[in-house]
Amino acid sequence: MEQLRSIYAAVEALMGGNAWFLLGALALGAGLLLLSLHRSKYSYYSAPSPPVRAPYWLLGNVELAERVTDRHRLYTEWHERFGPFVRVRVAHRSMLLVADPAAAASILVKGPGYVPQKPPEYTAFDVAHGLQGFNGMLTHQDEATWKAARRAIAPAFTITEVKKQYPVILGCMCDTMQTLDEAIAAAGGAADFDIEHHVLVATNKVVARGFLQLPEGFIDPEQQAHDVSFIMATASRFICEPWRWVGHLYLPFLTAEGRRLWSARRRLAAWGEAIYDLLQQRYAAAGVPEQDHSLAGCLMRMTDKHGNKPKRGAVVAEICDALTASETVPSSIMWTLYCIAMRPKLQQQLQQELARAGITSSTATAPAGPSSSSSSSGSDAAHSFSQ
């Protein structure tokens, strides 16, 4: 009892001199409790995070910057260990990696129509492109401008328009499979190849020949693949290591990496300018027909948020975005191929479905491994396309 009386007396004395302080502390505690109770099931802050390695407590998960070449493998390791949500921190910025589409829907708490403002770090891609002063759709910080650009090019990517590109897509991918077949034959069997680069070349051809309707050889898809890969990797390092941003922007010739970036972004900008001039000539006489929903037509029909025709540099920035956006496609394809290659039964099922759809020949059999899968699928697709 004496102990209880002493505690009561201490609390009473404290309340006498610091009543407002205690009331404020109680109010703050109640507020924090309410916030925690109203968090969604998949709260951003409750998502597990990989441990930060010593002595990089201030820098966060620096593996993102160190393991650029095999980042996919790193993501897979984290998701296998921590689940569909992984919260990653690099310096003062945090991001949420989501591996499950169904789980992703659960965190879109503001509704499917909500478009968040782009992080300012995305402007690093404009710096990498070498188009300072003009933002592509990806990096617009003004929401109205971003939505105007998105509405302008959206008709080029409807199911109807994409289906029109199927012959071009199949043709470009067949060329890639033929290249890989020849490489496998030259190696005398299964070997390691940078398939992602070859897929990026094919994707560049699809964008150029199909969506932008450029003449054959207007740009070099092989050089474009090398430049785009390097530019996007450098832009990613700008986000993780912002001190590189200043060096490459103001002192680009001090390092070999800076000189290579300067050359790559100049080539990209030159292609964007040349494509803009070509499209201007194409539509100079009669304008863009209403029924023309190609990416080329949509870009030349584009208006800004006020309904006015954008400046030349703004359209060139959108064209450069189209040339670099293809870099994400090989990543998706490689993830798909990796998952299929690890499941031989799924390969057989997929080949049967493709054969029933008439895309490949009906003689496809279950492959013995990932390398033979690439070879046989390439031959089947090329045979089907030639028919």
Side-chain angles (χ1 to χ4, degrees):
M1 290 297 292
E2 278 302 320
Q3 290 180 344
L4 290 176
R5 287 195 186 96
S6 61
I7 293 173
Y8 179 78
V11 171
E12 189 177 35
L14 189 61
M15 283 291 291
N18 302 280
W20 289 109
F21 172 79
L22 286 176
L23 287 174
L26 289 173
L28 178 61
L32 292 174
L33 178 61
L34 288 174
L35 284 176
S36 65
L37 291 175
H38 283 83
R39 280 183 177 177
S40 61
K41 181 180 179 181
Y42 295 107
S43 170
Y44 176 85
Y45 293 101
S46 64
S49 180
V52 177
R53 293 186 294 132
Y56 302 111
W57 294 287
L58 294 178
L59 296 178
N61 302 106
V62 293
E63 295 94 331
L64 287 174
E66 293 177 351
R67 294 176 57 176
V68 174
T69 55
D70 66 337
R71 196 172 290 174
H72 291 165
R73 189 183 300 275
L74 178 64
Y75 292 164
T76 303
E77 293 172 359
W78 283 347
H79 285 300
E80 288 177 350
R81 180 178 177 184
F82 299 107
F85 293 101
V86 178
R87 181 165 53 90
V88 179
R89 180 176 66 84
V90 177
H92 66 291
R93 302 292 300 185
S94 294
M95 64 189 78
L96 191 66
L97 306 179
V98 184
D100 182 5
S106 68
I107 62 173
L108 298 177
V109 294
K110 295 190 177 181
Y114 173 71
V115 180
Q117 187 173 4
K118 268 57 67 188
E121 284 81 4
Y122 270 28
T123 56
F125 291 102
D126 287 319
V127 175
H129 293 174
L131 298 171
Q132 292 84 5
F134 296 100
N135 297 89
M137 184 186 74
L138 173 69
T139 56
H140 275 305
Q141 295 301 299
D142 180 69
E143 291 298 308
T145 302
W146 185 89
K147 289 180 179 178
R150 181 67 184 88
R151 282 194 298 268
I153 70 169
F157 297 100
T158 62
I159 295 297
T160 301
E161 291 299 316
V162 171
K163 283 183 177 179
K164 294 179 182 179
Q165 307 301 333
Y166 277 5
V168 179
I169 294 171
L170 284 174
C172 293
M173 291 302 172
C174 286
D175 291 344
T176 299
M177 293 298 101
Q178 182 64 34
T179 301
L180 291 172
D181 282 345
E182 294 171 357
I184 292 171
D192 291 331
F193 299 99
D194 185 8
I195 300 179
E196 187 165 357
H197 171 75
H198 292 289
V199 176
L200 178 56
V201 172
T203 308
N204 291 338
K205 292 178 181 178
V206 170
V207 173
R209 298 177 189 174
F211 288 95
L212 290 174
Q213 301 176 353
L214 302 180
E216 184 73 25
F218 191 81
I219 59 177
D220 182 355
E222 194 71 46
Q223 183 64 59
Q224 181 190 357
H226 286 295
D227 287 345
V228 167
S229 295
F230 183 74
I231 286 173
M232 298 300 279
T234 304
S236 297
R237 285 196 291 272
F238 282 170
I239 297 174
C240 300
E241 306 168 24
W243 55 88
R244 291 179 178 268
W245 184 323
V246 178
H248 286 309
L249 184 59
Y250 297 106
L251 300 169
F253 297 103
L254 288 183
T255 63
E257 183 184 50
R259 292 189 292 272
R260 182 181 174 188
L261 175 63
W262 187 89
S263 299
R265 68 184 192 177
R266 287 297 93 192
R267 274 192 295 268
L268 180 64
W271 283 329
E273 296 277 357
I275 293 171
Y276 178 85
D277 292 335
L278 177 69
L279 298 183
Q280 282 282 76
Q281 296 173 10
R282 179 185 299 172
Y283 298 110
V288 183
E290 287 188 16
Q291 66 273 18
D292 184 354
H293 296 303
S294 66
L295 179 59
C298 290
L299 286 170
M300 301 312 293
R301 196 188 293 116
M302 184 173 62
T303 59
D304 60 20
K305 62 181 180 180
H306 303 294
N308 302 320
K309 186 173 180 60
K311 295 181 179 180
R312 174 190 177 94
V315 181
V316 171
E318 299 295 346
I319 294 173
C320 288
D321 264 2
L323 296 178
T324 55
S326 57
E327 193 265 347
T328 62
V329 175
S331 298
S332 301
I333 293 177
M334 292 309 300
W335 269 108
T336 304
L337 291 178
Y338 173 78
C339 293
I340 294 174
M342 299 301 292
R343 298 165 177 81
K345 290 184 178 180
L346 183 60
Q347 293 184 51
Q348 186 177 22
Q349 179 184 347
L350 180 59
Q351 287 181 332
Q352 292 171 352
E353 292 179 2
L354 291 174
R356 285 197 296 270
I359 297 176
T360 64
S361 67
S362 58
T363 58
T365 57
S371 296
S372 61
S373 171
S374 298
S375 176
S376 64
S377 62
S379 302
D380 292 338
H383 174 68
S384 176
F385 186 73
S386 65
Q387 290 178 334

